[in-house]
Amino acid sequence: MRFVVTAGPTREPIDPVRFLSNRSSGKMGYAIAEAAVAAGHDVNLISGPASIPAPSGVKIISIMTSDELHDAVHRAVRDCDVLVMCAAVSDFKPATVERRKMPKRKTPFALELIPTRDILASLPRENRKFFVVGFAAETHELEASAREKLLAKNCDMIVANDVSRSDSGMESDENEVTIFFREAAPKKISRTSKKIIARELVKIISKMSEKCLTKKS
Ligand code: CTP
């Protein structure tokens, strides 16, 4: 199968030397890309600036901003069977990007932020020929928020993780996730390495996407 995996953070520039970003390391997405290659799939990895080397055997497409990620995803899904949207996309960006480095100030000031585009929600909803896996980064009410995102973003399944814990989730080598589906019962993968979680996810995604894509064709 042809996988498109997104990973890592986005960077939203403020001026030539500053940006808004988040703590995502890219580890979960990279582990999924690696596990998908190991399982014999063809993988395009669209990555923000991650702190780790790209796994071998994947085609890497580098992006910086949420707008670049938006365009790269829309191009890549024309030709894929599975999209795994693991990237930690910035939800907002500066309303304007200063062309010159902003000088130091001695008094407080406000930066105007505007929402970025929701990439998953922007994908076609009808007659889609690819299976969509979303991620949900939650600090509270994990199940309710993840289920809401599953529907609002029209995903086929969503992988929820608690990012408020310091021993798993963002930056860590470990994670604990619960997968929510549209029809099947949720499945929890207890705390373990991101590499093991990735292998398990690829197995589940392969099985579910085959079923779903056969039903659609
Ligand atoms: N996502 C996206 N486009 C955005 C923001 C997020 O496609 N502009 C995707 C993420 O890659 C992930 C899913 O949406 O697969 C959920 O991301 P998450 O950060 O959990 O939720 P948000 O939609 O950003 O909502 P909130 O931050 O309020 O929880």
Side-chain angles (χ1 to χ4, degrees):
M1 268 191 281
R2 297 161 305 172
F3 273 59
V4 172
V5 181
T6 72
T10 63
R11 282 185 186 171
E12 310 302 328
I14 297 170
D15 70 12
V17 299
R18 303 182 179 94
F19 55 80
L20 280 181
S21 191
N22 59 64
R23 286 172 41 213
S24 169
S25 61
K27 285 176 188 166
M28 193 67 246
Y30 277 43
I32 293 171
E34 192 174 21
V37 169
H41 302 296
D42 181 51
V43 181
N44 280 352
L45 174 61
I46 307 178
S47 176
S51 51
I52 46 171
S56 57
V58 308
K59 181 183 168 214
I60 187 128
I61 300 156
S62 300
I63 57 90
M64 275 294 173
T65 65
S66 57
D67 284 327
E68 288 172 11
L69 179 58
H70 173 278
D71 295 350
V73 167
H74 276 267
R75 267 195 302 273
V77 294
R78 287 184 205 143
D79 219 12
C80 86
D81 303 303
V82 175
L83 168 67
V84 184
M85 194 68 197
C86 194
V89 192
S90 181
D91 290 325
F92 26 80
K93 63 179 183 179
T96 50
V97 182
E98 299 296 330
R99 288 163 58 141
R100 295 180 174 188
K101 185 183 162 203
M102 287 165 70
K104 181 159 64 191
R105 301 187 197 199
K106 295 213 168 91
T107 50
F109 69 100
L111 198 60
E112 193 189 350
L113 301 178
I114 54 171
T116 57
R117 288 177 285 183
D118 190 315
I119 300 170
L120 275 179
S122 73
L123 293 170
R125 283 166 189 253
E126 305 295 326
N127 300 324
R128 204 163 59 191
K129 293 277 189 311
F130 53 95
F131 187 82
V132 176
V133 183
F135 269 70
E138 306 298 345
T139 51
H140 58 281
E141 291 177 14
L142 183 132
E143 172 155 6
S145 304
R147 285 196 182 281
E148 204 180 305
K149 287 176 191 173
L150 175 71
L151 299 180
K153 292 171 185 264
N154 201 29
C155 299
D156 296 298
M157 66 180 244
I158 197 154
V159 183
N161 61 148
D162 180 348
V163 289
S164 66
R165 289 175 55 164
S166 60
D167 60 350
S168 66
M170 280 191 160
E171 293 174 305
S172 166
D173 287 332
E174 298 200 321
N175 211 354
E176 176 170 291
V177 301
T178 308
I179 310 159
F180 297 96
F181 303 93
R182 286 184 158 258
E183 280 155 20
K187 184 173 165 49
K188 182 173 175 175
I189 307 178
S190 299
R191 192 169 164 227
T192 183
S193 76
K194 286 185 174 171
K195 292 201 183 244
I196 293 176
I197 292 184
R199 266 180 249 149
E200 194 57 33
L201 285 176
V202 168
K203 268 191 224 154
I204 296 169
I205 293 168
S206 308
K207 209 163 96 190
M208 296 293 295
S209 60
E210 244 165 49
K211 246 198 245 166
C212 177
L213 297 174
T214 329
K215 215 159 81 181
K216 281 183 190 166
S217 63

